[in-house]
């Protein structure tokens, strides 16, 4: 993979660039450093209340640095902002009150915090982040406008005057850095978005085909998995680019390409007696499904390519369930009327509740790799998988076990009642020609 990876969990790397993580990480170290230096200065001046505050900034900065290092970036950022906001407000209210010689200055940091919050909000939209931005701005307005005085005049005038200049320079510099980071972030998104669109026009996408097998390990179909071979970025994993494409609103176009390509393959297979029986599973993202014209697009693609809808399986993840469930059901009913099979992908990893399993018009449940792999090691996971299989079968769904890597996993899942399987044990995702050759070779061997 040619793209650089930040040293945080893969989950986070989807949303935060390496540069962004570095900004937050070293920013928190800088806060700790400034807190420490100021603590030493004020200790020399004997202002122990200020020393205590600076030390809390030092400890807070370090805590956030380690939170981010351990992968808790989103929480670390919010916690950091909240702590810094509390420090800035306390400083502004108690110690840094305006006098004839020195204006109030610490409230400038609240603008920096609001800008940082906005930057973070662009990455991961959350209500907590919006509230924090609002509080920072509100506190800024109050501290900038209200003639608040304090009974604690603990700082000598000289320290106040030097501090005013130093803090004004620091806050302005940080604000400028935030604005630069915001600009860089918008540019990065824009560039990624353009690269993805170009990829679509330049045929940089391909489909890989991973075999799906029955109990006797005969290939009964394949899952089409998207691959992006970018001349600039190298082979980019779908785990990395699909969430970003989704965020940029490009998954409808890219997913449309996948569906059309997959249907062309199905149409070709229907002409060949060796491949006629094969089904093809295609992943559909939530934004694609919820698009107003999705059902019409699928119908038109089937007509255009002459693919057999009875061999087409559309895989949906549980992420579609957070949206309007009745609308999802209506859409799935429409697709079923075309003869298409609907599968629930990654079952057990998301929002799935058993009631959804009952309500949704699905015919196949794909048990997630994590369950399959845990089932051989833990009796709790094993009984969970067993019950999911039993329940799905009671509801009339077929159950496909995903991510099977060993014969032990295959045997256990077959014993639990799985009748379809997919995983490295049977075959990794491969080019179409290799997939077809594999089937031809098996048939020749049997003949
Ligand atoms: P998924 O739909 O759960 O696809 C299965 C993923 O697990 C694939 O990763 C596959 O290579 C991998 N896998 C299969 N068998 C094994 C195994 O035995 N062990 C292990 N460790 N991994 C196995 P891949 O190709 O990187 O795709 C990742 C995800 O990207 C997919 O997960 C799917 O959510 C998404 N994706 C891929 N193609 C498309 C697409 O065309 N449209 C949409 N919307 N999403 C796609
Ligand atoms: Ca899938
Ligand atoms: Ca899956």
């Amino acid at each position: 993979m040619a793209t650089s990876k930040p040293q945080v969990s893969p989950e986070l790397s989807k949303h935060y660039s390496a540069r962004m993580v570095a900004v937050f990480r070293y920013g928190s170290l800088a806060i700790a450093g400034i807190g420490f230096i100021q603590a030493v200065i004020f200790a020399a001046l004997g202002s122990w209340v200020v020393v205590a505050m600076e030390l809390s900034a030092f400890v807070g900065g370090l805590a956030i640095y380690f939170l981010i290092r351990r992968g808790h970036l989103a929480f670390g950022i919010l916690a950091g902002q909240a702590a810094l906001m509390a420090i800035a407000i306390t400083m502004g209210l108690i110690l840094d009150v305006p006098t004839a010689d020195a204006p109030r200055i610490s409230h400038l940091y609240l603008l920096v915090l609001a800008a940082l919050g906005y930057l973070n909000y662009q990455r991961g939209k959350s209500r907590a982040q919006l509230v924090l931005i609002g509080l920072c701005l509100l506190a800024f307005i109050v501290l900038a406008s209200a003639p608040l005085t304090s009974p604690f005049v603990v700082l000598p005038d000289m320290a106040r005057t030097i501090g005013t200049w130093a803090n004004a320079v620091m806050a302005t510099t940080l604000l400028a850095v935030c604005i630069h980071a915001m600009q860089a972030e918008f540019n990065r998104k824009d560039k990624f978005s353009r690269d993805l669109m170009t990829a679509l026009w330049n045929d940089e996408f391909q489909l890989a085909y991973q075999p799906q097998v029955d109990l006797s390990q005969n290939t009964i179909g394949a899952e089409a998995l998207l691959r992006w071979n970018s001349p600039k970025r190298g082979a980019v994993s779908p785990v990395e680019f699909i969430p970003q494409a989704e965020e940029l609103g490009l998954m409808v176009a890219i997913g449309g390409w996948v569906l059309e390509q997959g249907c062309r393959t199905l149409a070709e297979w229907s002409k060949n007696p060796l491949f006629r029986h094969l089904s093809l599973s295609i992943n559909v993202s939530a934004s694609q499904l919820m698009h107003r014209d999705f059902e019409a697009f699928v119908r038109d693609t089937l007509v255009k390519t002459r693919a057999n809808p009875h061999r087409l399986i559309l895989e949906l993840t549980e992420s579609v369930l957070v949206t309007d469930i009745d609308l999802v059901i209506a859409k799935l009913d429409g697709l079923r009327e075309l003869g298409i099979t609907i599968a629930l992908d990654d079952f057990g990893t998301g929002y799935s509740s058993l009631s959804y399993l009952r309500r949704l018009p699905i015919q196949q449940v794909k048990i997630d790799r994590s369950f399959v792999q845990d089932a051989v090691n833990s009796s709790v996971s094993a009984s969970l998988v067993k019950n999911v299989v039993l329940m799905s079968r009671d509801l009339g769904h077929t159950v496909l076990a995903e991510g099977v890597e060993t014969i032990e996993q295959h045997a256990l899942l077959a014993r639990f009642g799985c009748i379809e399987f997919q995983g490295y044990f049977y075959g990794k995702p491969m080019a179409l020609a290799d997939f077809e050759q594999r089937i031809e070779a098996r048939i020749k061997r049997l003949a």
Side-chain angles (χ1 to χ4, degrees), residues 210 223 225-227 238-239 242 251 258 283-285 315 345-346 369 373 402-405 423-424 429:
Q210 185 174 31
E223 175 174 0
L225 292 158
L226 189 55
R227 296 289 175 259
V239 177
I242 287 178
M251 248 347 256
V258 173
N283 293 284
V284 173
S285 71
E315 293 191 3
D345 200 2
D346 302 344
R369 182 169 83 222
Q373 300 193 338
E402 273 195 291
V404 178
E405 290 182 355
Y424 293 171

Side-chain angles (χ1 to χ4, degrees), residues 15-95:
H15 297 291
Y16 294 88
S17 68
R19 191 195 296 172
M20 189 80 180
V21 176
V23 165
F24 284 115
R25 209 160 154 186
Y26 296 114
S28 57
L29 264 193
I31 290 161
I34 292 166
F36 185 75
I37 292 167
Q38 303 213 112
V40 172
I41 293 171
F42 285 105
L45 293 169
S47 304
W48 297 108
V49 182
V50 191
V51 172
M53 287 181 134
E54 297 295 352
L55 283 181
S56 58
F58 169 68
V59 173
L62 275 190
I64 294 155
Y65 173 77
F66 284 111
L67 267 175
I68 294 173
R69 251 186 77 138
R70 301 196 66 173
H72 305 293
L73 187 57
F75 180 69
I77 291 168
L78 283 181
Q81 283 175 52
L84 289 171
M85 183 181 74
I87 292 170
I89 294 174
T90 320
M91 286 289 277
L93 280 178
I94 298 178
L95 300 170

Side-chain angles (χ1 to χ4, degrees), residues 139-336:
F140 174 80
I141 293 169
V142 172
L143 288 175
S145 320
L148 302 166
T149 53
S150 158
F152 305 94
V153 182
V154 290
L155 295 182
D157 269 356
M158 190 201 47
R160 284 291 309 279
T161 321
I162 298 171
T164 302
W165 279 96
N167 282 312
V169 170
M170 180 59 72
T172 312
T173 310
L174 286 175
L175 200 57
V177 170
C178 279
I179 292 168
H180 173 75
M182 261 184 231
Q183 186 59 42
E185 195 48 26
F186 292 139
N187 289 348
R188 191 188 69 84
K189 271 194 177 175
D190 193 41
K191 190 164 179 320
F192 198 82
S193 171
R194 268 184 284 126
D195 282 359
L196 274 174
M197 280 320 280
T198 317
L200 206 49
W201 299 123
N202 288 357
D203 277 343
E204 290 167 21
F205 288 120
Q206 273 117 40
L207 289 184
Y209 292 77
Q210 185 174 31
Q212 295 178 333
V213 304
D214 64 11
L215 273 170
S216 347
Q217 297 185 34
N218 290 318
T219 304
I220 51 171
E223 175 174 0
L225 292 158
L226 189 55
R227 296 289 175 259
W228 179 17
N229 287 312
S230 161
K232 272 194 267 172
R233 297 165 189 261
V236 189
S237 159
V239 177
E240 200 169 329
F241 74 82
I242 287 178
Q244 302 206 43
E246 187 89 59
E247 210 174 290
L248 293 164
L250 298 176
M251 248 347 256
V252 173
I254 296 173
W257 178 88
V258 173
L259 186 78
E260 185 166 338
Q261 247 0 69
C263 284
R264 287 193 192 289
T265 302
L266 268 182
E268 285 303 312
W269 283 350
S270 69
K271 294 179 198 154
N272 187 329
L274 294 184
F275 307 136
R276 191 169 286 161
H277 64 288
L278 296 172
S279 62
L280 186 64
S281 298
I282 287 177
N283 293 284
V284 173
S285 71
S287 66
Q288 245 183 306
L289 177 75
M290 297 321 284
H291 192 275
R292 195 164 25 100
D293 301 327
F294 183 65
E295 300 93 295
F297 176 74
V298 174
R299 197 178 46 236
D300 294 349
T301 308
L302 285 168
V303 172
K304 184 165 94 181
T305 57
R306 296 169 185 259
N308 180 356
H310 296 280
R311 295 276 176 268
L312 178 62
I313 302 175
L314 295 184
E315 293 191 3
L316 302 166
T317 60
E318 297 163 24
S319 63
V320 299
L321 303 180
V322 286
T323 49
D324 181 350
I325 185 85
D326 292 321
L327 181 60
V328 171
I329 292 173
K331 279 176 168 273
L332 297 187
D333 281 337
L335 293 167
R336 279 193 64 187

